Amino acid sequence: MMQKNLLDLQRVAKSFTASDGQARVILDKVDFQLKEGEIVALLGKSGSGKSTLLRIMAGLISADHGEVKYREREINQPVSGIAMVFQSFALFPWLTVQQNVELGLEAQGVPQAERTVRADSVLELIGLSGFGGALPRELSGGMKQRVGIARALVTNPDVLLMDEAFSALDVLTGETLRNDMLELWEERKIPTKGILIVSHNIEEAVMMADRIVLLTSDPGTVRCEIPVDLPRPRDPDSPEVRALIDEVYGLMTMRAQSDSHPESAARHLGYRLPETTISRIEGILDMLAEAPFLGRADLPELAEEAELSDEDLFPTYEALSMLGLASLEKGDILLTALGQQYVHAEQSLKQDIFGQQCLTHVPLVAHIRRELEREPSGSVAEQPVLDLLQEFLKEKEAKRVLEVAIEWGRYGEVYEYDYHTGRLTLPGSAED
């Protein structure tokens, strides 16, 4: 029997107007379906528009182009069959747990007596029986998120949208809540027909989902879909689960074809440089070079050893790959010969290697250096560089990218930067 589509998105696009008045494309030509009886995980790096897409599905914002349908009806405002759970809990601090849970029912005009019965029932279901009179400040993070989930479930939603719902919790609490949700789903204790999870946690996606959808960034488009044909409950240490986690890591760390074929000079220079620091880059290099990894590490194991999330580490992996200090291969990261040389080099040689790799592989750093060499004074203001970046990036993102380029260029002694005047100069160059 063919599964019916709960959600059906066709060629969805969304742009926002930046402070400079230019439109920035967040999502472009997104096709997506959520079918009855499935859990889907949506993964993507920063800038992929995951949360924007979720809010379009929830009817909180509208798409600029394309079709967004729930059970073949167009979505242009919040609909009663779709409920959402937020990362930030989004509880009203002055209301009790009971009152927070009843809010959705009150908005639907459900009588008080029925609201009380339904709220009591879902609080018991979610493990919060007896906490109805408590205020949010009296609860732990895990309990607050249970309230958020109860508030969504009390409306008996057809579709449950979960936006990073477990990411604000510690690992053990998040895992417990995730397992409780899967138990409710598998035992059909909730009426929900489909769940869509936005996450940055690859293991979470593999443990929960029937299908994983990967989005590219700038703009967000569907890169690929990975079916997860493993029965639940899943053992996180089983070879099948570990292999799938490695596969998804490999796909997540692979640059999209659109990234390597920029559409314009501005896009080429304004490529979203990874949001990482020199200290984190060198910290990961040092970890890779030492036991137990000795030059090669499984990405999930490295994340565990570093005690950092996938979201924190992906930019560092990207930076290492971009600079030719490490390579990424099917969920593993390997030190290159240059990376090995870098780890064991004296500080001055490290900086020389870093600078040369920036000039070779980071177009923005090379562009700044060329502009400095063209100027008789060996000095340029940062503003024209920022203006160039803003032809493609939002103002805030353009500033961040320039900050990364300045940090990398200064460390590699490609150029110097004066934070008081906002000017870039050639090393050793003196202004009149």
Side-chain angles (χ1 to χ4, degrees):
M1 183 177 175
M2 185 176 292
Q3 293 171 296
K4 293 181 179 178
N5 286 336
L6 294 170
L7 292 172
D8 189 2
L9 280 65
Q10 299 290 335
R11 300 183 70 78
V12 167
K14 181 68 180 178
S15 300
F16 289 107
T17 303
S19 57
D20 60 4
Q22 299 218 13
R24 311 297 184 198
V25 181
I26 307 299
L27 298 166
D28 187 37
K29 299 175 184 175
V30 174
D31 293 333
F32 172 81
Q33 289 79 39
L34 176 68
K35 300 182 182 300
E36 283 191 1
E38 70 172 353
I39 300 176
V40 175
L42 195 62
L43 297 179
K45 299 177 187 176
S46 176
S48 62
K50 302 185 301 291
S51 293
T52 299
L53 189 60
L54 213 62
R55 280 157 175 73
I56 289 173
M57 295 178 195
L60 300 176
I61 59 176
S62 59
D64 296 334
H65 304 285
E67 294 183 344
V68 184
K69 293 183 177 180
Y70 161 64
R71 291 196 177 276
E72 301 184 356
R73 299 194 304 274
E74 191 169 342
I75 298 174
N76 47 37
Q77 61 183 5
V79 295
S80 59
I82 301 174
M84 191 162 174
V85 181
F86 300 90
Q87 174 185 359
S88 60
F89 314 139
L91 304 180
F92 291 100
W94 59 87
L95 298 181
T96 66
V97 167
Q98 181 90 14
Q99 290 167 332
N100 267 285
V101 172
E102 289 182 11
L103 275 176
L105 297 176
E106 187 176 350
Q108 292 178 0
V110 176
Q112 176 63 64
E114 184 181 345
R115 293 205 304 265
T116 302
V117 171
R118 286 172 63 174
D120 285 344
S121 176
V122 78
L123 284 172
E124 182 175 356
L125 186 70
I126 207 69
L128 288 175
S129 181
F131 287 90
L135 291 169
R137 67 170 180 268
E138 300 172 288
L139 306 178
S140 67
M143 294 173 76
K144 288 177 184 176
Q145 192 56 294
R146 286 179 186 272
V147 177
I149 292 170
R151 184 178 54 193
L153 292 178
V154 78
T155 60
N156 295 328
D158 222 12
V159 174
L160 186 63
L161 306 175
M162 307 186 79
D163 189 8
E164 305 276 12
F166 310 114
S167 64
L169 309 175
D170 64 79
V171 174
L172 185 58
T173 302
E175 186 177 336
T176 300
L177 187 51
R178 181 183 75 201
N179 290 338
D180 288 349
M181 281 298 299
L182 284 173
E183 184 179 331
L184 294 175
W185 169 263
E186 293 290 341
E187 296 181 4
R188 304 188 192 282
K189 292 181 178 178
I190 54 177
T192 305
K193 302 293 193 304
I195 299 177
L196 177 62
I197 305 160
V198 161
S199 179
H200 63 258
N201 186 317
I202 290 173
E203 181 171 316
E204 176 181 288
V206 171
M207 291 296 290
M208 293 191 74
D210 301 296
R211 184 162 51 96
I212 297 171
V213 176
L214 298 188
L215 295 180
T216 61
S217 301
D218 299 319
T221 59
V222 175
R223 174 186 286 185
C224 63
E225 295 188 5
I226 305 122
V228 186
D229 300 319
L230 300 173
R232 287 187 288 258
R234 295 166 186 161
D235 177 1
D237 297 319
S238 72
E240 296 82 7
V241 167
R242 300 319 302 176
L244 191 53
I245 289 172
D246 281 349
E247 180 185 346
V248 179
Y249 263 99
L251 290 166
M252 285 286 288
T253 51
M254 181 176 66
R255 286 177 65 179
Q257 188 176 9
S258 59
D259 291 338
S260 57
H261 293 81
E263 295 169 4
S264 66
R267 181 182 178 111
H268 190 46
L269 295 173
Y271 172 73
R272 189 187 289 271
L273 288 177
E275 191 168 0
T276 189
T277 61
I278 301 295
S279 60
R280 182 163 288 176
I281 288 171
E282 296 203 328
I284 294 300
L285 281 172
D286 288 341
M287 286 183 66
L288 267 173
E290 297 169 357
F293 302 122
L294 301 177
R296 183 179 187 124
D298 176 68
L299 291 176
E301 289 180 15
L302 183 61
E304 187 175 339
E305 185 74 18
E307 297 183 346
L308 293 168
S309 70
D310 296 334
E311 189 173 43
D312 291 326
L313 284 173
F314 274 132
T316 307
Y317 300 152
E318 187 175 354
L320 289 168
S321 178
M322 180 188 302
L323 295 168
L325 300 175
S327 61
L328 296 158
E329 181 183 300
K330 295 182 179 179
D332 287 358
I333 184 167
L334 297 76
L335 278 182
T336 61
L338 185 64
Q340 291 278 9
Q341 181 187 353
Y342 184 94
V343 168
H344 298 105
E346 297 292 331
Q347 183 61 33
S348 59
L349 180 55
K350 281 186 177 182
Q351 289 179 251
D352 184 57
I353 292 171
F354 198 94
Q356 288 301 316
Q357 293 304 100
C358 281
L359 285 169
T360 304
H361 300 291
V362 185
L364 180 56
V365 172
H367 169 79
I368 293 170
R369 177 72 185 212
R370 286 194 301 271
E371 291 300 303
L372 289 170
E373 290 173 345
R374 289 191 185 113
E375 285 294 323
S377 65
S379 171
V380 297
E382 67 176 335
Q383 191 58 50
V385 183
L386 197 57
D387 291 342
L388 179 63
L389 292 178
Q390 287 180 18
E391 291 180 21
F392 171 65
L393 301 172
K394 294 181 183 178
E395 181 180 5
K396 182 178 178 181
E397 181 65 5
K399 287 180 178 178
R400 187 197 66 75
V401 166
L402 182 56
E403 286 171 4
V404 173
I406 288 170
E407 182 190 7
W408 289 13
R410 288 181 72 234
Y411 181 73
E413 298 184 336
V414 178
Y415 39 72
E416 295 173 357
Y417 177 73
D418 188 321
Y419 286 92
H420 297 291
T421 63
R423 295 191 71 84
L424 294 134
T425 58
L426 287 170
S429 174
E431 290 191 70
D432 295 332

